[in-house]
């Protein structure tokens, strides 16, 4: 029988060795401090005791790249350096480096990424009494290249880049929509609090139809239902609205309109703009969701198996996979967790704990945010994952009420499951959810209380409890 894990492990070792060999061949090290408009470069060479050979300042656009390339090629010819002996390094910040990467990658130069904290450490060691500037930063980037403290920028699929930008645009639209909703809600609190008492969903179709035509309660009190219907029917957007709610609203405003302040011209314009922005954003969000799905299908994004897990939304998993990119860039689940900023960090000395362990949040903030949101939904809607959450909550620990920490623990479990499914192209196996969880070590009464309590009360049968707590091997519960 073929041992797939052994084959994968051997391939990973070969890839690591191949990367180390590539790094060993490098002789010319170009550290570039990227900025919005101007870049600063420092060039070092092994044979010159890593002294600065050249300093160069160039514009962050194709014209600047070409001028800098001429200087680099001149130096390569002078020092007899081959193309595969050159490495260009940049810091892992922002997006300003992408144009430079494309320009030099197209000409077969290799580009490496140096982590921000490594540049900071090198700066503190090399220039302890000096401040931060472009020359120092670019020199420190080049020194990290010499020490091989960098990773190669892998060739990225243009469709995946497009997909990531689309998902990020959707995120920004949703954020703008939330801000606009808050502004509209604040306006209603000030000028039409009766509306909020009738329309429990303030942004429903019926409610918006009223606000467009009658933003103030005083605008509607002298009209009967027939007149209101005639006015509302003139707008095609009002098709399918609920007139029963409008009748209730009319009844209530007639009782209290005298105690509600007048809506002046400026405030009327305000609510008109808020409604237009809301409707435009909702339309754009729906359109971009369709575009995201189309691009995901073109990019052959392997998410169909993952959305079979109850509680995981299609748009959420596409967003997180777009942020992750090629799963083959990660050799282990731990590497993927580190990319998401879910690595554990802490400080201790001897037997004392200086700083309690916590996630370092050093990775992709947006991907981590999506993962945590997805995990909360999963715990709420999927009974198996709720059991995992309750297991962590009921496990004997110093702070049993640390809800956020337990959500993070489930998120780490979820990303390991997703990693395995993507890496091995396998279907979801619910036994994996309970792997390495020894329920005998957690408080049974507290587990039951956590699982059956809360806002959404869940039912736990005796058979389920027996499966979880009475079997020695919890790797194969079901």
């Amino acid at each position: 029988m073929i041992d797939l894990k052994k084959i994968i492990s051997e391939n990973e070792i070969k890839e690591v060795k191949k990367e180390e060999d590539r790094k060993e061949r490098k002789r010319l090290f170009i550290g570039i401090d990227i900025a919005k408009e101007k870049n600063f470069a420092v060039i070092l060479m092994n044979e010159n005791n890593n002294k600065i050979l050249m300093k160069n300042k160039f514009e962050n656009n194709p014209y600047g790249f070409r001028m800098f390339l001429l200087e680099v090629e001149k130096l390569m010819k002078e020092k007899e350096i081959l193309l595969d002996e050159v490495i260009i390094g940049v810091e892992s910040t922002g997006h300003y480096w992408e144009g430079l990467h494309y320009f030099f990658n197209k000409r077969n130069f290799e580009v490496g990424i140096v982590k921000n904290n490594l540049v900071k450490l090198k700066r503190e060691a090399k220039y302890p009494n000096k401040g931060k500037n472009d020359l120092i930063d670019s020199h420190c980037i080049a020194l990290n290249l010499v020490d091989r403290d960098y990773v190669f920028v892998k060739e990225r699929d243009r469709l995946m880049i497009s997909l990531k930008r689309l998902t990020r645009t959707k995120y920004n639209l949703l954020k703008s929509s939330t801000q606009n909703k808050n502004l509209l809600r604040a306006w209603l609190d000030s000028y039409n609090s009766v509306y909020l008492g009738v329309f429990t969903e303030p942004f429903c179709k019926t409610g918006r139809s009223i606000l467009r035509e009658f933003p103030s309660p005083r605008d509607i009190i002298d009209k009967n239902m027939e007149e209101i219907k005639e006015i509302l029917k003139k707008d095609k957007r009002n098709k399918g609205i609920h007139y029963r709610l409008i009748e209730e609203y009319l009844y209530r405003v007639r009782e209290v309109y005298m105690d509600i302040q007048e809506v002046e011209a400026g405030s009327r314009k305000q609510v008109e703009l808020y409604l237009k922005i809301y409707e435009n954003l909702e339309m754009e969000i729906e359109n971009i969701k369709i575009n995201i799905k189309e691009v995901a299908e073109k990019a052959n994004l392997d998410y169909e198996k993952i959305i079979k897990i109850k509680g995981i939304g299609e748009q959420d998993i596409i967003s997180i996979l777009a942020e992750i990119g090629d799963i083959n860039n990660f050799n282990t689940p731990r590497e993927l967790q580190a990319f998401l900023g879910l690595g554990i960090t802490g400080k201790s000395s001897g037997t004392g704990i200086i700083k309690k362990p916590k996630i370092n949040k050093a990775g992709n903030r947006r991907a981590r945010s999506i993962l945590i949101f997805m995990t909360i939904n999963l715990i709420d809607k999927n009974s198996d994952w709720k059991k995992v959450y309750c297991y962590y909550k009921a496990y004997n620990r110093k702070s049993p009420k640390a809800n956020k920490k337990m959500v993070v623990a489930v998120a780490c479990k979820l990303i390991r499951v997703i990693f395995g499914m993507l890496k091995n192209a396998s279907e979801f196996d619910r036994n994996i959810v309970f792997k390495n969880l020894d329920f005998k070590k957690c408080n049974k009464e507290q587990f039951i209380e956590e699982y059956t309590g809360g806002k959404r009360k869940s039912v736990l049968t005796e058979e389920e409890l027996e499966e979880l707590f009475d079997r020695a091997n919890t790797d194969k519960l079901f």
Side-chain angles (χ1 to χ4, degrees):
M1 187 176 177
I2 298 171
D3 190 343
L4 285 175
K5 286 186 178 179
K6 187 178 179 182
I7 292 170
I8 291 167
S9 180
E10 287 173 355
N11 289 338
E12 287 171 358
I13 292 167
K14 286 178 184 177
E15 285 295 321
V16 171
K17 191 175 183 306
K18 188 178 175 183
E19 190 167 296
E20 287 302 316
D21 291 340
R22 283 167 66 193
K23 289 182 178 180
E24 195 173 348
R25 288 198 301 272
K26 304 304 177 190
R27 293 172 58 207
L28 197 71
F29 306 93
I30 306 173
I32 302 177
D33 185 44
I34 300 287
K36 185 177 181 179
E37 295 177 357
K38 298 262 186 182
N39 303 327
F40 201 99
V42 164
I43 302 180
L44 309 178
M45 188 175 173
N46 267 347
E47 290 86 341
N48 198 37
N49 294 322
N50 297 324
K51 290 182 180 178
I52 296 175
L53 283 179
M54 183 192 292
K55 303 172 190 174
N56 196 297
K57 195 169 186 178
F58 59 97
E59 292 181 1
N60 192 20
N61 58 46
Y63 301 107
F65 302 156
R66 286 179 182 179
M67 296 300 292
F68 180 61
L69 178 61
L70 290 173
E71 296 295 326
V72 171
E73 287 176 338
K74 183 180 175 182
L75 186 62
M76 287 171 64
K77 188 176 181 180
E78 181 187 323
K79 301 292 183 181
E80 296 181 348
I81 294 172
L82 301 174
L83 191 60
D84 66 347
E85 294 174 330
V86 180
I87 178 68
I88 298 170
V90 296
E91 262 188 291
S92 56
T93 52
H95 61 277
Y96 298 125
W97 63 274
E98 291 183 1
L100 181 137
H101 167 249
Y102 177 78
F103 179 89
F104 282 97
N105 188 60
K106 189 177 178 182
R107 288 158 177 80
N108 297 319
F109 283 87
E110 289 192 305
V111 181
I113 291 285
V114 180
K115 288 186 178 179
N116 309 48
N117 60 331
L118 294 177
V119 177
K120 184 181 178 182
L121 289 170
K122 189 69 74 176
R123 185 170 61 241
E124 289 171 353
K126 191 76 176 174
Y127 300 96
N129 300 318
K130 293 188 178 181
K132 185 180 183 299
N133 62 49
D134 296 338
L135 173 61
I136 290 173
D137 280 357
S138 52
H139 187 208
C140 291
I141 292 168
L143 288 171
N144 275 293
L145 296 176
V146 174
D147 294 340
R148 302 181 190 177
D149 287 331
Y150 64 93
V151 292
F152 289 105
V153 178
K154 299 181 188 272
E155 182 59 33
R156 300 184 299 171
D157 190 324
R158 307 310 297 179
L159 278 172
M160 287 301 290
I161 295 171
S162 172
L163 184 61
K164 182 160 77 170
R165 285 177 176 160
L166 276 174
T167 56
R168 288 188 173 191
T169 303
K170 185 194 78 175
Y171 172 83
N172 291 333
L173 288 174
L174 287 169
K175 190 176 178 180
S176 298
S177 180
T178 301
Q179 290 170 345
N180 184 65
K181 284 179 182 178
N182 290 338
L183 290 170
L184 181 53
R185 177 66 190 249
W187 188 96
L188 290 168
D189 287 333
S190 297
Y191 295 104
N192 198 344
S193 54
V194 181
Y195 174 94
L196 295 170
V198 176
F199 301 97
T200 51
E201 172 48 59
F203 312 103
C204 66
K205 189 176 182 179
T206 305
R208 295 200 312 272
S209 71
I210 287 293
L211 289 177
R212 278 196 298 269
E213 300 294 339
F214 314 107
S216 169
R218 295 171 185 269
D219 298 337
I220 200 172
I221 52 167
D222 59 345
K223 293 181 172 52
N224 57 45
M225 276 306 297
E226 290 303 317
E227 289 175 310
I228 294 169
K229 285 180 182 179
E230 284 300 316
I231 293 168
L232 295 178
K233 281 178 181 178
K234 290 176 183 177
D235 192 337
K236 292 180 180 179
R237 292 174 293 180
N238 297 336
K239 189 176 180 181
I241 61 175
H242 299 288
Y243 289 104
R244 183 188 58 79
L245 279 174
I246 295 172
E247 282 187 51
E248 184 182 346
Y249 174 72
L250 182 60
Y251 174 76
R252 290 202 187 184
V253 296
R254 280 175 174 166
E255 287 186 325
V256 297
Y257 77 93
M258 291 295 292
D259 298 319
I260 298 173
Q261 62 177 314
E262 294 268 6
V263 181
E264 70 281 1
S267 297
R268 286 178 183 275
K269 191 63 181 176
Q270 256 188 314
V271 73
E272 182 185 336
L273 287 171
Y274 293 152
L275 289 169
K276 281 182 180 178
I277 292 168
Y278 171 83
E279 288 167 358
N280 288 336
L281 284 173
E282 288 298 302
M283 183 178 67
E284 292 302 330
I285 289 166
E286 288 305 312
N287 289 338
I288 206 167
K289 283 180 179 179
I290 295 167
N291 294 333
I292 286 169
K293 190 171 179 180
E294 287 172 353
V295 176
E297 288 172 357
K298 286 181 184 177
N300 296 318
L301 200 64
D302 190 13
Y303 67 91
E304 295 291 345
K305 294 172 183 175
I306 300 172
I307 59 172
K308 290 179 183 176
I309 303 172
K310 184 183 176 183
I312 291 183
E314 183 180 67
Q315 289 287 320
D316 292 333
I317 194 62
I318 289 174
S319 296
I320 200 168
L321 293 181
E323 294 291 334
I324 290 169
D326 187 356
I327 197 65
N328 293 317
N329 291 342
F330 306 94
N331 295 322
T332 64
R334 193 180 292 274
E335 286 184 17
L336 182 55
Q337 279 184 225
F339 171 78
L340 297 169
L342 295 173
I344 305 298
T345 182
K347 289 183 181 179
S348 63
S349 178
T351 56
I353 296 173
I354 299 171
K355 196 173 182 181
K356 290 181 180 179
K358 62 178 182 179
I359 59 171
N360 56 31
K361 297 185 179 181
N364 188 310
R365 182 178 61 185
R366 186 169 277 109
R368 183 172 63 253
S369 174
I370 297 165
L371 178 66
I372 296 298
F373 174 78
M374 200 161 66
T375 303
I376 292 168
N377 273 344
L378 198 62
I379 293 167
D380 188 47
K381 296 174 183 177
N382 189 305
S383 59
D384 287 340
W385 288 93
K386 186 174 182 179
K387 286 168 187 170
V388 174
Y389 172 76
C390 294
Y391 164 82
Y392 289 131
K393 283 276 286 179
Y395 200 85
N396 295 324
R397 61 183 74 253
K398 290 182 181 179
S399 53
K401 293 185 179 180
N403 295 353
K404 289 182 181 178
K405 291 179 183 177
M406 301 307 105
V407 170
V408 170
V410 179
C412 291
K413 181 86 175 176
L414 174 60
I415 205 63
R416 291 196 295 271
V417 170
I418 291 172
F419 175 86
M421 291 176 69
L422 292 172
K423 201 77 169 177
N424 303 317
S426 60
E427 295 285 345
F428 173 66
D429 179 4
R430 64 192 296 254
N431 287 315
I432 298 296
V433 177
F434 299 99
K435 190 175 182 180
N436 300 326
L437 301 184
D438 188 353
F439 279 79
K440 290 182 179 179
K441 291 184 179 179
C442 75
N443 186 314
K444 188 174 181 179
E445 288 72 24
Q446 189 181 345
F447 174 85
I448 295 169
E449 184 183 343
E450 288 288 346
Y451 190 83
T452 56
K455 292 180 180 178
R456 292 185 57 146
K457 295 182 180 179
S458 304
V459 178
L460 194 62
T461 64
E462 288 296 327
E463 290 77 10
E464 287 177 298
L465 279 172
E466 186 180 343
E467 291 284 358
L468 294 170
F469 285 91
D470 297 341
R471 288 197 180 188
N473 182 13
T474 55
D475 284 5
K476 295 180 180 178
L477 281 172
F478 301 100

